[in-house]
Amino acid sequence: MVVAHRAVFPLRVFLVLLFGVLVMFQTFSLPGQFAHMAKESPDFAYLRWPATAVTVFWVLCVQVVIVATWKLLSLVENDRIFTEVALKWVDAIVWAIAAAWVVLVGVFLYVGFNADDPGLPLLLFLMTTGVTVLGLLMVVMRALLRQATTLRTDMEAVI
C-alpha cells in the first residue's frame, strides 16, 4: 500500500492538469474548431453545433471520470477504498463511460451510413471498440472491488 500512497500525489497533479486542459478544450478549442470548419466547409456548416455538443459532452464524461478518480484516491489515502462509498464512485465512472459509449455508437452509425471514405468510420469503430473495452474493464474492476469489500467486511466481523 506504500507504493499506492506514493503514486497518489503525482496522479492528482496530472488529474488537475488534465482537467484544466479539458476545460480549455470545452470552452475555447472545440467550439472554435467547429466554427472554423463551418467557415472553411459551408456544405458541412450544419454540423457545427451538433459536433460541438457531442464533443463537449464527451469531454464532460471524461471530467466525471476524473472527479470520481480523485474521490477514489481520497478513499485510498484514508484506507477506505473497500467500502460502499467507493462503489458509488466506481458506478459514476461506469455510467460516464456508458453515456459516452452510447453517443459514440450513435455518431459511428451516423457517420458510417453517410461516409464516402472508410477512414473516419474505421477511426470511430476503433474508438468504439476501445471505449467498449474500457467500460467492460471497469465493470470487471467494480465486481472485484465488490468482492474485496465483502471479504474485508466479513474479516472485520470475524475479528
Side-chain angles (χ1 to χ4, degrees):
M1 207 57 167
V2 173
V3 173
H5 286 285
R6 283 191 206 152
V8 169
F9 179 73
L11 182 53
R12 281 194 166 164
V13 168
F14 284 103
L15 287 174
V16 168
L17 288 171
L18 179 58
F19 196 90
V21 169
L22 289 174
V23 168
M24 191 174 63
F25 265 83
Q26 243 175 344
T27 55
F28 302 114
S29 185
L30 293 172
Q33 177 63 36
F34 292 118
H36 175 73
M37 288 172 62
K39 288 179 189 169
E40 293 294 315
S41 302
D43 294 346
F44 297 109
Y46 70 97
L47 292 173
R48 174 187 179 184
W49 293 111
T52 301
V54 165
T55 55
V56 166
F57 175 74
W58 284 332
V59 170
L60 178 64
C61 289
V62 174
Q63 289 170 328
V64 168
V65 171
I66 290 170
V67 169
T69 302
W70 185 280
K71 297 300 272 183
L72 288 168
L73 288 174
S74 296
L75 294 173
V76 167
E77 281 184 327
N78 298 327
D79 198 29
R80 294 188 55 233
I81 192 65
F82 299 113
T83 62
E84 293 294 321
V85 175
L87 290 168
K88 291 178 183 174
W89 289 109
V90 174
D91 284 343
I93 292 172
V94 170
W95 281 107
I97 292 170
W101 182 85
V102 167
V103 174
L104 181 58
V105 168
V107 170
F108 170 61
L109 292 174
Y110 176 80
V111 170
F113 286 118
N114 295 302
D116 298 333
D117 175 349
L120 186 56
L122 283 173
L123 177 63
L124 289 169
F125 177 72
L126 176 65
M127 290 173 57
T128 302
T129 303
V131 173
T132 302
V133 168
L134 181 63
L136 292 173
L137 178 63
M138 286 307 303
V139 169
V140 169
M141 296 301 286
R142 187 197 185 285
L144 291 172
L145 179 62
R146 164 66 71 198
Q147 286 179 341
T149 301
T150 302
L151 285 172
R152 186 169 189 175
T153 304
D154 291 347
M155 293 283 285
E156 288 172 355
V158 171
I159 296 174

